Amino acid sequence: MPENILEMRGIEIQFPGVKALDGVDFSLRAGEVHALLGENGAGKSTLIKCLTGVNHKDAGTIVFDGKEITPTSPQNAIDMGIATVFQEINLCPNLTVAENIFVGRKEFKKKVINPKARELMKRFHLDIDVTRPLSYYSTAIQQMVSIARAVNIDSKILILDEPTSSLDENEVQLLFNVMRELKASGMGIIFITHFLDQIYAISDRMTILRNGRLVGTYGIDEINKLQLVTLMVGKDMENIFDLHPPTVGDSAPVMLDADHIGAPGPVSDISLSMKKGELVGFAGLLGSGRTETAEMIFGANHPTSGTLTLNSKKVEIKKPFDAIMNGVAFCPEDRKRDGIVGDLSIRENIMLAVQAKRGFLHPLSRAEQNELADKYIKALSIATPDAEKKIGELSGGNQQKVILARWMATQPELLILDEPTRGIDVGAKAEIQRLMLEMCKDGVSVIFISSELEEVIRCSNRIVIMRDGKKAGELEGPFDGDTQSRILQIIAEGGDAQ
């Protein structure tokens, strides 16, 4: 059995009003991938921040490479050989690939760093031009550059925080190949993810946290997926995903009719009709046109052809404000970049869309704001001591609930949800899916975009399959066990747009 390169024992961290970590133990062996798991708010990020010097422990010990340490800052942790690659890529898109890898290091002359960067990227099986700006490359390549930068500092521990949340299947496999090579070289890797299949595909062991406490550490073959999720959530999982598509009658009125709408760029010709209270899922690979279609309906990308009809009335939506005034709401794919305002409170974030719809010459009173915020915090079970907490301090799942609350407060007739469950835990996913199905029961039409086919199939009345900026197919529910393979076949081979 390989020896532990890292041992964290009895770690306790207290924040005002909450004990974030309560006597947590965690160990990492040299040459292993160890998954750190738990729901949002379970304590995973707090434990990692303790190891990387962001949060300082109140009790416990950390032994790294045989020596007791107390990291004082992220740079101090890096200097020790502990590197972290975060879910949000925190590199400089205007700098070249080589400059991003070596920025802040002594050897920063181009004639030195360019050949070194090329050699390093070859280790990752990537033949790319390291003199191009980082922004030229895909998210997957940028993620690899982040890891290359971490590896270049001779790290003994690599922490990967949700590294696959924006990657497609081929890109995930490329990352896994790199992880296996790093593991074979003796590096210890801490892997944080919400994708259960990926945990079993790449990990050797898993440690589960719940409510700031250690549930247990297990070998990858010791528990199955159902047992894992039950331990993470702390309740029987038999019924947590017992969800069914909304019931939509044949006589239900048409809420949305998009007739051959298009715009210059990735989506040229899309037709879509939706009934009141219907949930339509969008499936397809990254870049297939799912998000671009949603943005056209919401006015973030103005359609230049075709017609849009809402509630039997032709409308022209040139900008998001037009959509809001016509009862359309949109939760964007990237909640950090396009959804939340991190330095504002939960109350202020919830109020944004309501205030925009009402007009800024008619500001909501503080009493109205408090009433609305408290209503949706309670309705959506947002975990916070009060509405004045900064949204940036919440877990990903709770941030997503606040964005959903913002749009629910506008009382929309059409709600577009673009990857609302990406990067959040299983329990929060189930809650958000239940919320959107409840909204359908209240007559709201929902467009649900997700890369996870299982949840699209589980929740949708109909599924639109996108490929290369076009509608490649459309499947009508109820769905069966063959639906996923049919969707994948349409994605792979294309089909007749309907």
Side-chain angles (χ1 to χ4, degrees):
M1 188 72 66
E3 64 181 22
N4 289 336
I5 193 174
L6 171 71
E7 293 188 13
M8 304 177 76
R9 296 284 177 248
I11 303 298
E12 295 187 7
I13 294 181
Q14 181 91 25
F15 294 135
V18 62
K19 197 162 193 175
L21 292 177
D22 188 2
V24 171
D25 296 340
F26 178 83
S27 64
L28 177 69
R29 297 168 184 157
E32 81 161 340
V33 177
H34 193 140
L36 180 59
L37 309 172
E39 291 196 281
N40 288 318
K44 306 185 301 293
S45 295
T46 306
L47 187 67
I48 292 306
K49 288 177 180 178
C50 175
L51 177 59
T52 55
V54 178
N55 294 333
H56 303 300
K57 58 186 171 58
D58 297 309
T61 58
I62 304 174
V63 177
F64 171 46
D65 209 15
K67 299 177 182 177
E68 186 170 340
I69 64 168
T70 304
T72 56
S73 69
Q75 186 59 53
N76 181 226
I78 289 171
D79 293 340
M80 292 179 185
I82 303 170
T84 307
V85 176
F86 295 99
Q87 179 179 358
E88 288 81 27
I89 296 168
N90 54 353
L91 298 178
C92 302
N94 58 312
L95 297 183
T96 68
V97 169
E99 288 168 341
N100 269 285
I101 293 173
F102 289 95
V103 67
R105 315 282 165 80
K106 291 179 180 178
E107 64 276 32
F108 199 62
K109 292 181 180 179
K110 289 184 179 180
K111 64 180 181 180
V112 175
I113 65 172
N114 288 342
K116 283 190 174 183
R118 287 189 196 97
E119 193 63 33
L120 191 57
M121 297 314 292
K122 282 180 183 177
R123 181 178 175 185
F124 288 71
H125 308 289
L126 292 175
D127 184 15
I128 62 173
D129 185 352
V130 298
T131 65
R132 282 188 180 273
L134 183 70
S135 58
Y136 178 81
Y137 293 105
S138 68
T139 300
I141 299 296
Q142 293 183 31
Q143 193 74 269
M144 293 298 182
V145 173
S146 293
I147 297 172
R149 175 175 168 80
V151 170
N152 186 54
I153 61 174
D154 296 324
S155 307
K156 293 187 177 181
I157 293 176
L158 177 63
I159 303 166
L160 298 175
D161 186 1
E162 295 287 356
T164 63
S165 61
S166 298
L167 307 184
D168 65 26
E169 185 60 34
N170 291 332
E171 292 166 338
V172 169
Q173 292 309 313
L174 176 61
L175 173 62
F176 281 4
N177 289 338
V178 171
M179 290 172 66
R180 292 185 183 103
E181 289 190 16
L182 295 174
K183 169 185 165 180
S185 73
M187 181 178 286
I189 301 174
I190 301 174
F191 181 43
I192 301 173
T193 184
H194 292 297
F195 294 104
L196 300 185
D197 290 340
Q198 294 178 9
I199 295 166
Y200 284 87
I202 195 68
S203 304
D204 300 294
R205 288 191 298 161
M206 61 180 84
T207 289
I208 303 168
L209 303 182
R210 188 172 69 241
N211 298 327
R213 294 186 176 93
L214 174 68
V215 175
T217 296
Y218 307 88
I220 203 66
D221 297 323
E222 291 180 3
I223 57 175
N224 61 33
K225 291 179 186 176
L226 182 61
Q227 293 169 322
L228 167 59
V229 175
T230 300
L231 290 170
M232 286 168 58
V233 177
K235 61 184 76 168
D236 189 354
M237 287 299 296
E238 293 287 340
N239 299 317
I240 197 167
F241 282 124
D242 185 22
L243 305 174
H244 305 282
T247 301
V248 182
D250 293 336
S251 60
V254 174
M255 193 278 153
L256 167 71
D257 185 17
D259 185 22
H260 296 286
I261 62 171
V267 179
S268 57
D269 187 349
I270 295 289
S271 293
L272 174 67
S273 180
M274 289 183 66
K275 291 182 177 180
K276 189 177 180 67
E278 185 179 19
L279 194 150
V280 175
F282 276 24
L285 300 177
L286 292 172
S288 62
R290 301 172 307 173
T291 294
E292 291 79 5
T293 300
E295 289 175 343
M296 276 201 299
I297 296 171
F298 189 63
N301 186 13
H302 177 217
T304 55
S305 61
T307 58
L308 200 61
T309 304
L310 296 172
N311 288 323
S312 302
K313 176 186 173 184
K314 279 190 177 181
V315 296
E316 188 172 6
I317 296 180
K318 295 182 178 180
K319 54 186 180 297
F321 180 74
D322 298 334
I324 293 171
M325 296 307 292
N326 280 283
V328 182
F330 181 40
C331 294
E333 177 181 10
D334 191 332
R335 63 174 172 266
K336 293 282 188 183
R337 185 187 67 193
D338 302 322
I340 69 169
V341 182
D343 288 332
L344 296 185
S345 68
I346 296 169
R347 169 184 56 80
E348 290 166 323
N349 270 274
I350 291 176
M351 293 305 110
L352 287 174
V354 176
Q355 186 61 74
K357 187 172 183 179
R358 182 165 170 169
F360 288 95
L361 293 178
H362 305 283
L364 291 157
S365 69
R366 184 59 179 266
E368 289 175 304
Q369 293 182 37
N370 290 339
E371 183 180 352
L372 271 175
D374 291 342
K375 172 184 175 180
Y376 286 104
I377 286 171
K378 183 178 180 181
L380 276 66
S381 301
I382 298 170
T384 179
D386 56 60
E388 299 312 306
K389 187 179 180 71
K390 285 186 178 180
I391 190 173
E393 297 174 358
L394 298 181
S395 66
N398 284 299
Q399 288 178 357
Q400 195 69 61
K401 290 182 186 178
V402 173
I403 298 171
L404 190 54
R406 174 192 301 163
W407 293 109
M408 288 174 67
T410 67
Q411 299 182 323
E413 295 186 73
L414 172 62
L415 176 63
I416 304 169
L417 299 172
D418 192 356
E419 297 283 8
T421 62
R422 172 180 287 170
I424 63 176
D425 60 69
V426 177
K429 283 185 181 185
E431 285 186 67
I432 286 175
Q433 290 169 22
R434 286 188 190 280
L435 283 167
M436 67 184 189
L437 292 172
E438 286 173 9
M439 292 183 74
C440 287
K441 289 180 183 178
D442 293 334
V444 179
S445 303
V446 174
I447 293 175
F448 176 42
I449 303 172
S450 176
S451 298
E452 296 189 48
L453 290 181
E454 287 182 7
E455 62 180 11
V456 173
I457 294 168
R458 181 168 53 243
C459 299
S460 302
N461 298 108
R462 282 185 295 132
I463 300 174
V464 172
I465 301 104
M466 300 290 296
R467 184 176 187 266
D468 298 330
K470 296 179 180 178
K471 187 162 74 169
E474 185 173 312
L475 301 179
E476 190 88 30
F479 302 114
D480 55 29
D482 293 329
T483 301
Q484 182 162 329
S485 61
R486 289 165 65 197
I487 292 172
L488 292 173
Q489 185 176 4
I490 293 171
I491 291 172
E493 299 177 2
D496 296 327
Q498 301 177 28

